[in-house]
Every structure is written in C-alpha cells, then in structure tokens.
C-alpha cells in the first residue's frame, strides 16, 4: 500500500511556495535564491547550494525508483 503520492507532495510544495511569495513577495523570494551577484553572502551561497544539492538528490531518487518499478 502506498502511503503518499507525488500529487500530494506537489500540492504541499505549491502551497509552501505560495506561502513564501505572500510573505516575502516575488522579488524578495527570487533574490533570496541567488547563488552569486551583488549582495550575496557566503552563508547564503552555501545554504542555497546545499538546498540545490538536496533537490537534485531527491530528483535522482525519484527517477531511480521510477525506473526500477
């Protein structure tokens, strides 16, 4: 029995993105996700690279499990 689905995950992800946009605005959300440029600190770059790495690992795991089944 499958306990969760990709559709449910996508809905929760979309809700979180909408919540962040409402809280910070679109420009501030995009500005906080930058990896380089004016005003980007070393800590922000490191945190964004770690987040990008986690997203890539999750994507690869999803592809792996999709291929195996």
């Amino acid at each position: 029995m499958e306990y969760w689905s990709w559709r449910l995950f996508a809905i929760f992800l979309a809700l979180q993105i909408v919540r962040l946009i409402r809280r910070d605005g679109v420009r501030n959300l995009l500005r906080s996700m930058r990896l380089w440029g004016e005003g980007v600190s070393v800590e922000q770059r490191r945190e964004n690279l770690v987040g990008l790495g986690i997203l890539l690992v999750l994507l690869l795991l999803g592809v792996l499990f999709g291929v195996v089944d």
Side-chain angles (χ1 to χ4, degrees):
M1 180 175 170
E2 191 173 336
Y3 292 103
W4 62 280
S5 67
W6 286 106
R7 184 177 296 152
L8 185 63
F9 174 75
I11 290 170
F12 281 127
L13 182 63
L15 288 174
Q16 289 299 319
I17 291 172
V18 168
R19 185 181 64 86
L20 287 172
I21 288 174
R22 285 181 142 192
R23 186 184 71 184
D24 296 335
V26 175
R27 286 186 187 261
N28 288 336
L29 180 67
L30 293 176
R31 188 175 296 135
S32 69
M33 294 190 306
R34 293 188 308 180
L35 294 174
W36 60 84
E38 186 178 330
V40 177
S41 66
V42 175
E43 294 173 10
Q44 181 182 358
R45 183 177 298 122
R46 183 177 31 232
E47 289 174 358
N48 288 345
L49 283 173
V50 168
L52 185 61
I54 290 171
L55 288 175
L56 288 174
V57 166
L58 289 174
L59 178 69
L60 289 173
L61 283 173
V63 169
L64 177 67
F65 284 114
V67 170
V68 170
D69 288 338

